């Protein structure tokens, strides 16, 4: 996720000609370092109630954007804060699929998407 965070000057940098972006990497539930402790194919007590689905992952990323990225963009440069900050999404594989869904679901939050090896729908 790459939120549009810029400094002063021409609106595309920090005033010294440096282009500024903040980059976030998200492991959605059940991927990367986000596996529950003591996983047992959905049978452990730590996995009760967890659902791994496109809807779950989409909601997780939207909540991350709203709870982490948007507040950071308004405080990182308060004098030039844009209340209508949008993010640029970059997604690989299923992440690309998620980016497309997020852009369709919340176009008010998404400035652009970049799809890398986006997976087709495969039972999601």
């Amino acid at each position: 996720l790459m939120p549009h965070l810029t400094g002063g000057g021409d609106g595309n940098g920090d005033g010294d000609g440096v282009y500024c972006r903040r980059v976030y990497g998200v492991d959605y539930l059940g991927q990367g370092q986000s596996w529950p402790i003591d996983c047992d194919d959905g049978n452990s007590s730590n996995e009760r109630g967890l659902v791994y689905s496109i809807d779950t992952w989409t909601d997780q990323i939207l909540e991350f954007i709203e709870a982490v990225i948007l507040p950071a963009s308004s405080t990182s440069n308060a004098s030039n804060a844009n209340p209508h900050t949008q993010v640029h999404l970059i997604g690989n594989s299923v992440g690309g699929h998620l980016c497309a869904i997020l852009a369709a679901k919340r176009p008010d939050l998404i400035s652009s998407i970049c799809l890398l090896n986006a997976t087709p729908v495969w039972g999601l």
Side-chain angles (χ1 to χ4, degrees), residues 53-62 98 101-102 105:
S53 71
I54 286 294
D55 291 334
T56 299
W57 297 330
T58 302
D59 291 343
Q60 178 189 0
I61 293 170
L62 283 173
L98 287 167
I101 292 170
L102 288 163
K105 187 173 183 174

Side-chain angles (χ1 to χ4, degrees), residues 1-8 10-15 18-24 64-65 68-78 80-88 111:
L1 307 171
M2 295 180 62
H4 184 70
L5 301 175
T6 61
D10 63 3
N12 288 320
D14 66 1
V18 177
Y19 197 67
C20 301
R21 296 278 183 192
R22 185 171 294 166
V23 178
Y24 298 88
F64 182 83
I65 291 169
V68 176
I69 297 174
L70 296 181
S73 71
S74 64
T75 60
S76 66
N77 190 2
N80 291 327
N82 180 355
H84 305 291
T85 298
Q86 292 184 312
V87 299
H88 302 278
S111 178

